[in-house]
Amino acid sequence: MTLRLPVPGGSTRAYEPRAEPLAPAASGPLASRTVFSAAHVVADPYADTTPDGPAAVDWDATLAFRRHLWSHGLGVAEAMDTAQRGMGLDWAGAAELIRRSAAEAKTAGGAIACGVGTDQLTGPATLPEIRAAYEEQLAVVEESGAQAVLMASRALAAAAAGPEDYLELYGHLLRQAAEPVILHWLGPMFDPALEGYWGSVDLDAATETFLEVIAAHPDKVDGVKISLLDAGREIALRRRLPEGVRCYTGDDFHYPELIAGDEQGFSHALLGIFDPLGPLAAEAVRTLDTGDTAGFRKLLDPTVALSRHLFAPPPRYYKTGVVLLAWLAGHQEHFTMVGGLHSARSLPHLARAYELADGLGLFPDPARAEARMRALLTVHGVPQ
């Protein structure tokens, strides 16, 4: 049946939903690239909470979604930005999420890497306090048996006087890490509080500090996740990494070309957009495993329009579209988010996200997705 989708200004337009999904089959591990999907959390819609209260998580649905990603051969990047870290999920909730997901990964045989930050701190903090906060979280991740992702810290961005503070603090953390970690450079387009990270608002100068940290401890850095939405900068940085240190693209605008790579190398992936794209992304990488770069691009290039839409300014609200698509795809029974973040995007934005995802065949049951979208539109007063 035709849906009437809203457009800005108060009008609607007709859309004919897709009849059949692409339905890639679940399969085994990926071979040519290491691929993590940053995964969202499913809120408990029955919890009597408030947007600024502790996150109420539906643990069964949250862990089921991780099993879905593992079943397609993807790794799970846990307790990171996609899980609303610092935007509805506090450290207590993140620690519980890490413990539960890491235990589930052992049972499922899936790869997992977990975010380590400083979000238990409130208000201004000193450098020793920031170091202690990182250490506390690193211990939780290591005790769970997961790989650590050292995330950018708002507290450190505020407290650091210059590059030397980053070199000293990261050096300390890397020396004490039990296993090689992933370093995460998250740009201010995702979190304005991270402006000037690595000691400079000049990205060229910041890159030099970042590379200096890695060069001093190459045996403790498995890889780096670059989330700057600048393909040229990522490629230039990738080519300067020490041998054995991987580049994990976090660029949700240019990921097909960065993963495909060039004659001088390629990027692995740790991406929020692979939450809704999981099965299709895995199928694309399996195509790449055979050496068929053109086939890989044919599958993945058409998804960029959806990703660019979900990550439209301000990009940090992309999680709202991700959770909408998880609901429409049947991975959860409601469109509710911790912290009330389901209200962070407009109805026309959400309608366009549905249209783009449906066009890609991402919904296993297109009729169910259509019915749920129709219900959402009706609740918002859009006549059908």
Side-chain angles (χ1 to χ4, degrees):
M1 296 174 64
T2 301
L3 281 175
R4 301 297 308 181
L5 300 181
V7 296
S11 61
T12 63
R13 57 185 175 80
Y15 176 70
E16 294 291 338
R18 184 186 182 115
E20 299 293 335
L22 285 179
S27 189
L30 309 180
S32 62
R33 304 290 188 272
T34 299
V35 181
F36 289 96
S37 167
H40 74 282
V41 293
V42 182
D44 178 359
Y46 293 94
D48 185 9
T49 187
T50 60
D52 57 353
V57 177
D58 180 336
W59 293 111
D60 288 342
T62 294
L63 295 177
F65 186 76
R66 280 129 184 87
R67 291 193 296 272
H68 154 72
L69 294 172
W70 286 320
S71 75
H72 287 277
L74 301 171
V76 168
E78 188 57 276
M80 297 189 66
D81 189 52
T82 307
Q84 295 181 242
R85 192 78 182 266
M87 291 184 68
L89 186 72
D90 61 12
W91 166 236
E96 181 71 8
L97 179 62
I98 288 165
R99 293 186 181 102
R100 286 176 180 258
S101 291
E104 196 72 20
K106 292 175 185 176
T107 300
I112 186 167
C114 299
V116 171
T118 63
D119 46 325
Q120 70 270 54
L121 298 173
T122 58
T126 64
L127 291 173
E129 289 170 337
I130 294 166
R131 188 176 78 179
Y134 265 126
E135 290 172 336
E136 177 190 355
Q137 295 200 14
L138 180 61
V140 169
V141 171
E142 291 186 337
E143 288 165 6
S144 77
Q147 184 177 20
V149 181
L150 293 186
M151 301 192 301
S153 164
R154 294 173 180 172
L156 180 55
E164 297 77 12
D165 288 335
Y166 289 89
L167 292 169
E168 193 282 329
L169 191 147
Y170 275 91
H172 175 86
L173 294 173
L174 290 171
R175 283 190 295 272
Q176 71 172 352
E179 300 291 340
V181 307
I182 298 173
L183 295 181
H184 186 191
W185 186 355
L186 188 70
M189 67 288 297
F190 291 101
D191 187 343
L194 299 177
E195 183 74 39
Y197 212 73
W198 304 111
S200 179
V201 295
D202 181 330
L203 289 180
D204 290 336
T207 297
E208 296 305 317
T209 302
F210 185 56
L211 288 169
E212 188 174 346
V213 169
I214 299 162
H217 309 276
D219 58 322
K220 287 297 186 75
V221 181
D222 165 73
V224 298
K225 170 177 159 58
I226 309 299
S227 299
L228 298 176
L229 302 183
D230 184 333
R233 184 170 293 278
E234 177 174 323
I235 291 169
L237 191 154
R238 183 175 77 196
R239 291 174 177 171
R240 297 180 62 191
L241 291 174
E243 185 177 356
V245 176
R246 310 182 198 195
C247 180
Y248 292 92
T249 187
D251 188 329
D252 299 277
F253 286 2
H254 307 100
Y255 52 93
E257 64 199 73
L258 290 165
I259 296 170
D262 55 30
E263 67 283 354
Q264 296 187 52
F266 57 82
S267 294
H268 300 273
L270 198 165
L271 287 162
I273 191 56
F274 281 5
D275 180 303
L277 292 183
L280 181 56
E283 183 181 15
V285 174
R286 286 194 182 88
T287 301
L288 188 60
D289 289 345
T290 69
D292 184 1
T293 303
F296 166 82
R297 295 294 298 267
K298 184 177 180 180
L299 283 169
L300 214 53
D301 282 0
T303 69
V304 173
L306 171 63
S307 190
R308 285 181 173 267
H309 177 73
L310 294 182
F311 284 82
R316 63 187 179 277
Y317 292 125
Y318 75 90
K319 281 83 83 173
T320 303
V322 164
V323 173
L324 171 81
L325 298 184
W327 172 54
L328 295 177
H331 295 299
Q332 56 193 78
E333 295 304 314
H334 57 86
F335 178 42
T336 306
M337 299 176 68
V338 299
L341 207 66
H342 47 279
S343 65
R345 290 294 200 187
S346 70
L347 190 63
H349 177 93
L350 298 177
R352 180 60 176 158
Y354 160 75
E355 181 180 4
L356 289 168
D358 183 65
L360 292 169
L362 294 185
F363 302 129
D365 185 344
R368 175 177 56 194
E370 176 192 341
R372 289 184 171 185
M373 192 67 209
R374 189 181 301 278
L376 182 67
L377 293 169
T378 300
V379 166
H380 284 81
V382 180
Q384 295 298 307

